Amino acid sequence: MAGMSAVEIIGIAASVSLLAGWRLYLCIFAVGLGMRMGWLAMPEQLRSLDALANGWVIGIAGVGAVAEFFADKIAWLDSAWDAVHTLVRPVGGALLALALIDAGDPTWQVVILLLGGGATLLTHGAKAGTRALVNISPEPVSNVVVSSCEDLVTGGALVATLASPIAAVVIAVALVVAATATLLFLRRLLRRRRAQLDA
């Protein structure tokens, strides 16, 4: 990561972690496969992610990405999947972010581990809360549409993040703002619903 500013390093780690809150397995699979096959001209600062190019890691992440893709389209299964991944995604996102940092610097390891886990938990919370509302809809179309949008946004943002540290910073800020706004909206909606029930 030599030659990169702290902001750029944090931007890349935060973006990958934030995206992992939506699609952890897709993030691991895409980065690992792109490195292994040489499809992505990986920037020098991402060379520490070589472990993700391991065949076993790619295979497991691929199976997880496919399972998540289909589970995310079925309302009741999506809610159960999100509940189970309330722990898995933040841990995975923290470790993914940690892989971006020089292992020889313990201070950065702690900072990025906390940042990565917190960022992933933020987007996971916004996703799970939003999808809980969508999943109670009696028709299946809205669930599939929202899930497909998450797939497209995650894929596009992941490509942009890996292509440019500056784009990664912009994406990280946008995701934090969007996730925070979503959580505040959901909180307000929940309070209004409770007030109606108490009335």
Side-chain angles (χ1 to χ4, degrees):
M1 292 207 161
M4 291 187 66
S5 71
V7 172
E8 290 173 327
I9 294 169
I10 291 172
I12 291 172
S15 290
V16 172
S17 296
L18 287 160
L19 292 170
W22 288 343
R23 298 289 187 269
L24 173 63
Y25 302 109
L26 178 61
C27 289
I28 295 171
F29 177 79
V31 173
L33 187 63
M35 291 176 65
R36 188 175 183 91
M37 304 301 289
W39 295 339
L40 298 174
M42 298 299 291
E44 188 60 36
Q45 71 271 12
L46 297 182
R47 295 298 176 192
S48 59
L49 284 172
D50 283 345
L52 298 180
N54 179 282
W56 283 102
V57 174
I58 292 172
I60 292 169
V63 170
V66 171
E68 185 164 57
F69 177 83
F70 288 107
D72 213 52
K73 307 296 185 287
I74 303 168
W76 67 269
L77 189 54
D78 173 61
S79 294
W81 186 271
D82 280 344
V84 169
H85 284 78
T86 298
L87 175 62
V88 176
R89 284 184 184 139
V91 171
L95 294 175
L96 190 55
L98 187 59
L100 293 162
I101 305 304
D102 182 2
D105 189 340
T107 302
W108 273 111
Q109 286 181 13
V110 173
V111 169
I112 296 302
L113 191 65
L114 295 173
L115 173 70
T120 305
L121 185 60
L122 176 69
T123 49
H124 168 73
K127 173 200 183 298
T130 302
R131 296 301 294 280
L133 287 178
V134 173
N135 289 344
I136 62 174
S137 174
E139 45 76 31
V141 177
S142 57
N143 186 59
V144 173
V145 169
V146 172
S147 176
S148 298
C149 288
E150 288 172 359
D151 292 332
L152 291 173
V153 171
T154 302
L158 183 59
V159 169
T161 293
L162 297 177
S164 166
I166 302 302
V169 173
V170 173
I171 289 167
V173 171
L175 288 172
V176 166
V177 170
T180 303
T182 300
L183 288 172
L184 290 173
F185 171 76
L186 291 171
R187 182 181 179 193
R188 189 175 305 121
L189 198 64
L190 182 61
R191 283 184 172 177
R192 186 178 303 164
R193 179 65 177 158
R194 283 180 178 168
Q196 289 174 346
L197 291 173
D198 292 340

